[in-house]
Amino acid sequence: MIHTSFISSCLFIFYRSIDADLGIDVDSDNNVIDNSYISNSVNDGILIAGNNNIVRGNTIVGAGFNGIEVANGKTDNNVLRNNVFSSLQNGVLINVNVDRTIVQGNILNGNGAGIVLFTKNKNNILDANTVTNNGGGAFSCFSNGIKIVDAPLSTDDSKVTVTRNVVVGNSPGNIVVPDGTTLAGNIVTED
């Protein structure tokens, strides 16, 4: 099976096998992944490839790709109160066509980027996360604290809410989002 990530702002298409060397692969619906410790997975620490799952209270360290990824086209997943450190790419990646996902209360430190989400997604919430010292990822387009990017051929309106996050010391920017993103109550500093 091939999983595809599209980053149009970098004109970059990345293909990788999702069957090898994952920490935890959640490819069904209605699961809870709770209080696990995942270290040095070659690919993602946790891949959510189903719907209506809860990933909470986990610690992911040194993932070769993303600490936590929500795969293309999945809905109603919650990423809550996880600690993600030193992932090569993103602490949390919300991929293309992902709707009604909540990313809340996570601590993301020292990853290639903190949280990356695509604007083609609808009704997603990024709330009360602590996003610090992320940036300088393996690919320059992945670097930032919180970044919302366009997916190729995105024609749908999206609704993304970014609220109450503490975003500090990320490079090259702390919060990079397009016009129309709802921003409220975030604490943002350079150091």
Side-chain angles (χ1 to χ4, degrees):
M1 183 182 337
I2 298 295
H3 177 76
T4 308
S5 296
F6 297 98
I7 308 294
S8 63
S9 62
C10 297
L11 299 174
F12 180 79
I13 300 174
F14 183 72
Y15 297 93
R16 66 180 164 84
S17 167
I18 63 170
D19 292 332
D21 301 312
L22 288 165
I24 297 175
D25 183 359
V26 183
D27 61 1
S28 59
D29 300 339
N30 304 310
N31 298 288
V32 176
I33 307 302
D34 194 20
N35 293 315
S36 296
Y37 181 86
I38 300 148
S39 177
N40 299 313
S41 58
V42 174
N43 284 330
D44 291 336
I46 298 175
L47 174 64
I48 305 169
N51 302 302
N52 197 39
N53 294 292
I54 298 172
V55 174
R56 70 176 175 221
N58 302 287
T59 297
I60 299 111
V61 178
F65 285 88
N66 305 292
I68 299 170
E69 177 180 352
V70 180
N72 298 352
K74 302 308 171 187
T75 62
D76 299 306
N77 290 292
N78 294 309
V79 178
L80 310 172
R81 300 183 310 279
N82 300 283
N83 299 306
V84 183
F85 307 115
S86 303
S87 296
L88 182 61
Q89 289 187 3
N90 310 295
V92 175
L93 173 64
I94 308 300
N95 226 309
V96 181
N97 293 321
V98 173
D99 299 334
R100 297 183 307 275
T101 292
I102 298 171
V103 178
Q104 185 176 56
N106 300 283
I107 297 173
L108 309 163
N109 183 271
N111 304 288
I115 302 170
V116 173
L117 182 141
F118 292 95
T119 55
K120 194 171 182 180
N121 301 332
K122 295 181 181 177
N123 300 312
N124 292 294
I125 296 171
L126 310 179
D127 179 63
N129 299 287
T130 301
V131 184
T132 57
N133 303 313
N134 299 284
F139 308 103
S140 61
C141 54
F142 290 112
S143 298
N144 283 292
I146 295 174
K147 184 171 186 175
I148 300 176
V149 295
D150 288 319
L153 306 175
S154 178
T155 58
D156 297 312
D157 293 331
S158 66
K159 181 179 178 186
V160 179
T161 303
V162 180
T163 56
R164 302 185 310 145
N165 298 284
V166 175
V167 188
V168 177
N170 300 282
S171 175
N174 282 305
I175 298 180
V176 179
V177 297
D179 292 340
T181 303
T182 301
L183 294 165
N186 297 291
I187 298 170
V188 180
T189 62
E190 294 303 318
D191 296 292

